[in-house]
Amino acid sequence: MSINKNLEDLYSSYLPKLTKFVEKFSGENLHGPLLVKVGGYTQEPLKLMVVGQETYGWEQSLSITDQFNTYEDFNFGSEYKSTPFWNIIRKVEVALGVTPYSIAWSNLNRFDQNVGAPVGEVLNQVAEFDDILRDEIDILNPDVCILFTNHKYDSRLSKMYEGLVFEDVDGLPEKHFARLIHSRLPTVTIRAPHPKTIRMKSWEECFLNYIQSIA
């Protein structure tokens, strides 16, 4: 069975819960859910998966086909090269020798709210879908996984992976960067700040040097 069929089956199993969530918060201008569909990723010698926090505007549809089409059309930010997130992803691809736009990308928050981060009760309850990300990582089986989720979401990662260990990364600021150690995660799994923060704090060069060192 193909990776995309496994992903489709995963999302189908969550559709009733996703539908209830959207109905409950119908007045909150939710965008999503972000659903992953990969292409060239499957052919890469080194498979890279990146995880963000949430989209900033997206398809508002519970149709898996609609979401797959939107994901493919977005093409891993091919039209957003100047934004910090996708600009740094392009540099990570180069550092690891990954063909551009041949990655897997997901988000911790399955929905955004008002074209931004979920807040209040939406934020509290969107966490019920965190296991989707865990299952995506299982299905995609990346060699390198970088979670640009910031330390503010570490408690959610710890709930996803019981016994998760956060290990400091030599040469990178403590607390902000960590290696994540767990039997269900790739050997190289890194939790990092949002790329905008990396750039604003002048951490980009040391971060990319570290990424290149693990290539």
Side-chain angles (χ1 to χ4, degrees), residues 139-156:
I139 292 168
L140 291 160
N141 192 28
D143 299 298
V144 176
C145 184
I146 306 176
L147 296 99
F148 294 100
T149 52
N150 199 316
H151 56 79
K152 69 179 180 179
Y153 288 127
D154 282 356
S155 61
R156 284 169 62 179

Side-chain angles (χ1 to χ4, degrees), residues 75-94:
N75 192 31
F76 310 108
S78 60
E79 299 300 319
Y80 295 84
K81 295 178 183 178
S82 62
T83 63
F85 187 90
W86 291 109
N87 183 263
I88 286 184
I89 297 307
R90 301 286 86 87
K91 293 176 181 178
V92 169
E93 290 168 344
V94 171

Side-chain angles (χ1 to χ4, degrees), residues 6-19 21 33-36 49 51 62 106-111 125-140 156 160-161 184:
N6 287 335
L7 290 168
E8 183 177 0
D9 289 346
L10 169 66
Y11 302 140
S12 294
S13 72
Y14 274 93
L15 267 181
K17 289 184 178 180
L18 291 166
T19 300
F21 181 84
L34 177 71
L35 304 182
V36 176
M49 181 175 183
V51 178
L62 287 164
S106 190
N107 281 331
L108 178 63
N109 293 319
R110 207 47 46 177
F111 296 86
Q125 295 195 31
V126 78
E128 71 181 84
F129 302 116
D130 287 355
D131 285 352
I132 295 179
L133 175 60
R134 184 194 62 197
D135 292 341
E136 286 172 339
I137 293 173
D138 284 347
I139 292 168
L140 291 160
R156 284 169 62 179
M160 289 164 57
Y161 295 101
R184 286 185 70 171

Side-chain angles (χ1 to χ4, degrees), residues 148-191:
F148 294 100
T149 52
N150 199 316
H151 56 79
K152 69 179 180 179
Y153 288 127
D154 282 356
S155 61
R156 284 169 62 179
L157 299 180
S158 293
K159 288 180 181 178
M160 289 164 57
Y161 295 101
E162 185 177 355
L164 179 64
V165 174
F166 294 80
E167 188 177 88
D168 291 340
V169 178
D170 289 342
L172 292 174
E174 296 178 10
K175 174 178 154 180
H176 298 282
F177 295 86
R179 286 284 294 267
L180 304 189
I181 312 299
H182 192 275
S183 59
R184 286 185 70 171
L185 286 170
T187 302
V188 181
T189 300
I190 302 157
R191 193 268 289 125

